[in-house]
Structure formats: C-alpha cells, structure tokens
Amino acid sequence: MSVSSVLFSAGTRSEMDLELEPPLKKQRTINTYLPDIDIWIDKIKSSDQNLSPVVSDEFNAPIKLGKVYVGYIKNVQDISKAVMTLNEKIPLKELQHLKRVKRQNIILCPITSLNSETIQEYIEKNVGELKDIFDYFQVLEVPFTAPRVTKQYQETKKYWPCNFHPNHYWEKLVRNSFFTDHELVIHRTYMEVVMEIVKWHSNYLQIKLSDDGLQDINASIVVDPDINSIVTIAFDHRQIHPLQHTAMIAIDNVARTQNGGVWDNNISDELMIHLKEKFAINFGVRDSNKNSKEGPYLCTGYNLYILREPCHMCSMALVHARTKRIFFCIENQEKGALKSTVKLQTISSLNHHFEVFTGFL
Amino acid sequence: MDDFMRRALVLASEALAAQEVPVGCVFTFNGNIVAESRNSVNITHNPTRHAEINCIDIILRYCKNNQINYHTYFENIVVYVTVEPCIMCAAALNNLNIKEVIYGCANDRFGGKTVLDVNTFYDKGYKLTGNVLADEAMSLLKQFYKGANPNAPESKVKKNK
Ligand SMILES: [Zn+2]
Ligand SMILES: [Zn+2]
C-alpha cells in the first residue's frame, strides 16, 4: 500500500499504523514546519507594538475600597486641631496613603474599629476633646490600597484625596512605551536570531513547533547589551538530558566564557557560521581588560532572549545567575514562572530581580 | 535517616572548606547511597551547580552508562539535603518525579517551599520533610556567611555585609 493510498483510503486506523513507516504524522509535518516559523519571524520583524513589561499585579489591580466613618466639622477653625488630635490618638495606620481631610470632612476611623458603640460614643471615649466639633457623621467608601501609579491615582481621586508621588520607573513600566523605536529594532532582531536557531534545529530534526509532545522545543541567546554582542546561544536538549533546558544550558555556556562550565559544549559550528552570515551582529564577550577590572560575573548585566517563557527551574536559575532582563516570545501556560503560573520577578524576598518583557508576536 | 543526613553534612563541610556555600546532598535508592555531592557554584562559575543538581547529573550519567531508564530510577530516589532545596532544585526534582526529599534547615532566601511552594505547580509533588539535624546545617551556613562569598565582585560583597 502506498502512502497516498493510505492517506485517501477509508482503511481502519490500526491498519494505517501498522503499515506506515515512518508514521503518518511525521510525513505530514515535514511539509508544514517551515511556514509556521517563517510566519512568526515575519510577525516579530513587522510588528510596530512596543514590548510589554510583565509587572506585579499590584500595578494593574483595580483600587480596593473600604468603609470609614467621616465627621463633618462645623467650624473651619477647628480643622487643624482635629487633624492633629486624630493623628495622635487614632492614627490611620495602614491607611496612611489617605489624606485625613477633604474640605470640612475628616476621616475618623475604619468602621471595623467600632464594636457595639455608636461613632459619637467612640469619639467621646478616644478623643473626648473633639466630641462637640462635628455637625454630623457618615460612612463613606474610600481607597483601602495605596495608588502605585498615576492610572490608579486618577481612580482613587474619585473617592477621596490620597498622598501620591509618581515613581518615574513604575510609570514607564505601565505606560506601554518602555522602549524607543531604535531599541525595539534591536530587541526584535535578537528574538529573530532565537527563531533562526529554532528554525535551523527544526530543519535538522525535522520537527514541527506545534506538534504534540514537542511543545518543549526552546532556544535562547544571551546578549551583553553594553557592547551589543551575543555572548552565547543555546538550544533545548531536554529530550536527552532532563536538566538541559535551554536557559540552563545558556547559563553553563556563559560560565564557560568565564573559564567555568560543566556540561559539554553542544553549540554547532555550522549553526554559528550560519548565524554570523545571516545577521550583522557581533558575537563574543567584552574585552574585560578594557571595560572593567573584574570582568563579567555570571550573567550580571546580560539579557536573555528565549522563545518560550521559562519554567520554574530555569527562571530561578536565571535569578541565581543575576540576569538583567528576560525577553520571551510565547507563554508557557502550564509551567511558565515569569507570567503564567507565578511572577518570580515580583517575589520581594529573592535577592535579585530581573525585568521581564514579552509581546513580540 | 540521620546517617544519610550526617553524610550530607560531611559533604557540606567539604563545601565550606572549598569556600562554597556549605550545602551537601546524598541520593539514596533502596536505602543505599547512589550519588553524593555538594555545592560547586564558585569553582564552576555556574550558579546552578547546587548539590542536588550535581547529584542528578551523577545519576543521569550512571543510567546512561548502564542503559537504565532514568525516569523509573528517579521515581525511587529519596534525597537527603542539608538545606531546603531552592526553587530551582525543587522544580528540577519535581520534573524527575523524585519520591521523597528530606532536608536539614529551612531556606528563607530561596526555599522551594518556604519562599514559593513549587510542589503546587506539579501534579504529583514529592513528600517533603524538614528539620533533620537542622542546627548542624544552619551552623555551617552561618560560618560561611560570616566570611563573604569570595567570588562575588567587591561592590556586591560590601552590600551583603
Ligand atoms: Zn525550564
Ligand atoms: Zn538549589
């Protein structure tokens, strides 16, 4: 039975599986793996979108509201005395971001501070000297979380005035215009190199990126942005060695540039020649005598460009390596540790925090 | 159990003598030690060369040389390590479906349970027990951090003090 007759025959599945060698699935993919990658490469090159930083949820979270008692002060002259007394005797504690006063209204306390007493009784008990200055009391909803960025500050203003000092860097992170056009071209070119590595290996291995079970295909490059040079490249090798995810190999390859390293070098010379021919990009490490006394230390100051969002093992390895920035292309819904299942870069107790960017496609 | 941890502690002190972060680890199979190692980050310039990762590499080499299926082999491994595995190592051990992990002291800087519970991201997860000869493990760490990491650049060393 020929291949084409199997493809078009109504034969049972088991018959097909038995007689086809190599399996049918592989036959199909040979013709389709290349266009997929080329479409991606085109997208990466032609997109005019800025890359998006993957930031802590608290920058994008909607403002959380909570209820407080507010007193209306009868005479304007009493306001400053009331503020001073209340700040001393009933401080706002975790609500420090709230301004105490809005015109003649003053925040007394969260409604949860009261047990069974009325607000008048509570005032008499805790700040007796203020018991006669209020005209009336009301319960209002105010922001219970401090605004971190201007977008959130605008939202809080609708409810109650807040203390807010914009942090220049945070504003830049959420504005979606982090990189200049010139920088974007550089980042997109490096991701194109990653794609080219994948393409070269898929050609070589005859596999398709979207095949079931081949979701693990991954590649990465390490770049020294100060001299705009590719320090090393790495292709995922986990089918053979379960620790050799592309980022783990990349870190070991960087170690080799610093007279260390453990694993065998598996960078193909042929691939390196191909990349150097195709891209007008520098390769290699900086001359440590010229630029710094110490020379590079681990991945300090280096950026990693990687096809798929790294897993927990690789992400933490990149923390250990003190990588400066991670750029990834495709989310890893099940095991991704920079966006999908957790954002490792936002865990404050870790001793190093890199920046993460995505949005190439 | 204590014997295996004592062996791991000996390996950790070897690391300390070699100016590495003092963490030691043994892998056991059916109650026998089949791999042992310690941290070797500074000598290799590779920050991923933790004791657990080195042991995994030893087992992989052994399985390859003896044509053993490493998947089933790792499923029977019990790990003894002087310090709670970090997030990276916890994920690596999960990836390999390791049977059980027993550690000495907790790791409040990078711990794969204390800082981020890595087991929750994996279907199976391994059995994890801590606090075995924890004081000994901790005192080795304290001795190391009294001196500074000799391989870090000067500015970093100062900052950590
Ligand atoms: Zn990984
Ligand atoms: Zn570790």
Side-chain angles (χ1 to χ4, degrees):
Chain A
M1 201 190 270
S2 75
V3 173
S4 59
S5 73
V6 170
L7 282 172
F8 296 107
S9 79
T12 62
R13 216 184 151 97
S14 56
E15 239 175 79
M16 282 160 54
D17 291 346
L18 280 174
E19 292 185 21
L20 267 180
E21 193 66 48
L24 179 63
K25 201 171 177 190
K26 211 157 203 175
Q27 289 276 322
R28 265 207 214 110
T29 57
I30 290 170
N31 296 324
T32 47
Y33 62 83
L34 281 177
D36 279 10
I37 303 178
D38 285 331
I39 289 167
W40 285 359
I41 292 175
D42 275 349
K43 264 195 193 166
I44 287 170
K45 280 159 86 171
S46 61
S47 167
D48 54 4
Q49 290 227 356
N50 211 302
L51 297 175
S52 25
V54 184
V55 295
S56 165
D57 294 333
E58 64 190 80
F59 291 118
N60 295 313
I63 291 299
K64 224 176 88 194
L65 299 172
K67 287 178 178 161
V68 293
Y69 280 108
V70 173
Y72 185 86
I73 300 171
K74 279 183 256 181
N75 297 312
V76 185
Q77 309 92 281
D78 289 330
I79 293 177
S80 64
K81 180 183 94 183
V83 171
M84 265 167 51
T85 316
L86 284 170
N87 280 349
E88 191 198 324
K89 299 201 169 159
I90 322 177
L92 284 178
K93 288 180 189 150
E94 55 280 356
L95 299 179
Q96 291 296 336
H97 59 278
L98 295 171
K99 293 207 156 108
R100 194 103 205 191
V101 183
K102 180 175 160 186
R103 288 184 296 274
Q104 273 164 267
N105 293 294
I106 186 160
I107 294 179
L108 303 170
C109 61
I111 59 166
T112 48
S113 303
L114 272 63
N115 293 318
S116 53
E117 71 266 54
T118 66
I119 184 65
Q120 181 66 41
E121 286 163 354
Y122 182 83
I123 292 297
E124 281 170 20
K125 196 173 88 193
N126 292 290
V127 273
E129 59 268 56
L130 300 181
K131 69 182 164 62
D132 295 322
I133 68 162
F134 299 107
D135 196 0
Y136 59 86
F137 302 108
Q138 54 182 329
V139 172
L140 286 183
E141 281 202 310
V142 297
F144 264 33
T145 45
R148 309 298 296 269
V149 291
T150 304
K151 201 175 62 184
Q152 290 169 328
Y153 175 59
Q154 303 294 354
E155 199 56 27
T156 60
K157 276 204 306 201
K158 294 178 191 162
Y159 299 92
W160 193 269
C162 284
N163 300 310
F164 175 69
H165 306 284
N167 174 309
H168 177 71
Y169 175 69
W170 293 351
E171 295 298 325
K172 206 177 157 191
L173 280 179
V174 296
R175 226 178 11 233
N176 236 4
S177 54
F178 195 90
F179 294 113
T180 64
D181 286 351
H182 175 68
E183 289 166 334
L184 280 175
V185 171
I186 294 173
H187 296 312
R188 288 186 174 279
T189 306
Y190 283 131
M191 194 54 86
E192 204 191 321
V193 176
V194 173
M195 283 290 178
E196 192 63 31
I197 296 169
V198 173
K199 186 172 159 179
W200 190 88
H201 279 276
S202 336
N203 263 326
Y204 182 71
L205 302 169
Q206 301 217 322
I207 41 181
K208 183 178 170 242
L209 278 163
S210 51
D211 263 3
D212 287 347
L214 294 171
Q215 293 291 329
D216 291 340
I217 286 195
N218 208 348
S220 61
I221 63 172
V222 177
V223 168
D224 183 343
D226 292 342
I227 57 164
N228 249 320
S229 173
I230 296 179
V231 174
T232 192
I233 68 170
F235 185 72
D236 216 271
H237 209 236
R238 79 183 71 186
Q239 308 296 348
I240 312 294
H241 187 305
L243 291 178
Q244 290 186 352
H245 295 195
T246 180
M248 297 288 281
I249 299 175
I251 290 168
D252 196 53
N253 286 349
V254 169
R256 208 173 308 106
T257 69
Q258 296 162 10
N259 300 316
V262 175
W263 288 326
D264 293 338
N265 181 0
N266 69 356
I267 301 174
S268 150
D269 292 339
E270 232 178 294
L271 171 59
M272 285 305 287
I273 292 165
H274 171 68
L275 293 176
K276 283 173 186 170
E277 272 172 5
K278 178 150 184 149
F279 297 96
I281 290 175
N282 297 323
F283 286 80
V285 292
R286 70 181 90 172
D287 185 344
S288 52
N289 300 327
K290 258 189 213 158
N291 294 319
S292 107
K293 269 184 217 158
E294 296 151 339
Y297 172 69
L298 308 180
C299 293
T300 306
Y302 287 171
N303 296 338
L304 179 97
Y305 296 78
I306 183 166
L307 175 68
R308 291 180 202 279
E309 181 186 358
C311 71
H312 302 90
M313 173 180 73
C314 293
S315 300
M316 191 60 206
L318 292 163
V319 173
H320 286 318
R322 307 184 193 208
T323 317
K324 188 180 177 195
R325 285 175 169 169
I326 316 286
F327 297 81
F328 73 85
C329 209
I330 302 169
E331 287 179 25
N332 176 352
Q333 291 297 340
E334 274 177 31
K335 289 284 175 286
L338 302 183
K339 186 175 187 207
S340 299
T341 70
V342 63
K343 294 172 180 172
L344 211 62
Q345 65 276 24
T346 67
I347 298 178
S348 53
S349 61
L350 295 179
N351 67 339
H352 175 78
H353 300 94
F354 42 60
E355 296 170 323
V356 177
F357 299 92
T358 188
F360 285 88
L361 291 174
Chain B
M1 192 197 249
D2 278 12
D3 286 349
F4 293 136
M5 194 57 89
R6 294 231 174 268
R7 180 62 198 146
L9 283 163
V10 169
L11 294 158
S13 10
E14 283 176 26
L16 183 66
Q19 296 189 303
E20 297 278 359
V21 176
V23 182
C25 179
V26 301
F27 278 25
T28 65
F29 184 94
N30 283 339
N32 297 308
I33 294 181
V34 287
E36 52 176 50
S37 191
R38 57 155 174 94
N39 210 306
S40 60
V41 162
N42 286 332
I43 184 81
T44 60
H45 295 258
N46 180 331
T48 71
R49 299 317 296 186
H50 291 184
E52 303 92 314
I53 298 290
N54 287 336
C55 283
I56 292 172
D57 256 349
I58 291 169
I59 299 286
L60 286 170
R61 219 173 303 135
Y62 171 79
C63 287
K64 196 181 166 196
N65 292 340
N66 294 283
Q67 276 107 45
I68 297 168
N69 178 336
Y70 70 75
H71 293 281
T72 44
Y73 198 84
F74 277 117
E75 283 170 18
N76 291 294
I77 292 282
V78 178
V79 173
Y80 294 81
V81 56
T82 57
V83 181
E84 175 193 355
C86 75
I87 293 168
M88 172 187 74
C89 292
L93 296 168
N94 260 301
N95 269 328
L96 292 164
N97 286 316
I98 289 269
K99 187 175 171 188
E100 187 176 353
V101 176
I102 293 147
Y103 67 86
C105 63
N107 181 346
D108 56 4
R109 298 160 52 132
F110 310 118
K113 169 81 184 172
T114 305
V115 175
L116 179 70
D117 190 352
V118 174
N119 271 11
T120 58
F121 302 111
Y122 289 82
D123 300 336
K124 243 171 133 187
Y126 46 70
K127 188 178 169 216
L128 185 67
T129 314
N131 234 350
V132 176
L133 304 180
D135 293 346
E136 280 95 327
M138 185 51 96
S139 97
L140 286 172
L141 283 180
K142 279 188 183 148
Q143 283 179 60
F144 178 83
Y145 284 108
K146 253 190 295 174
N149 186 343
N151 240 35
E154 218 174 293
S155 55
K156 286 263 157 52
V157 176
K158 273 180 200 148
K159 232 196 271 171
N160 287 342
K161 269 184 186 168

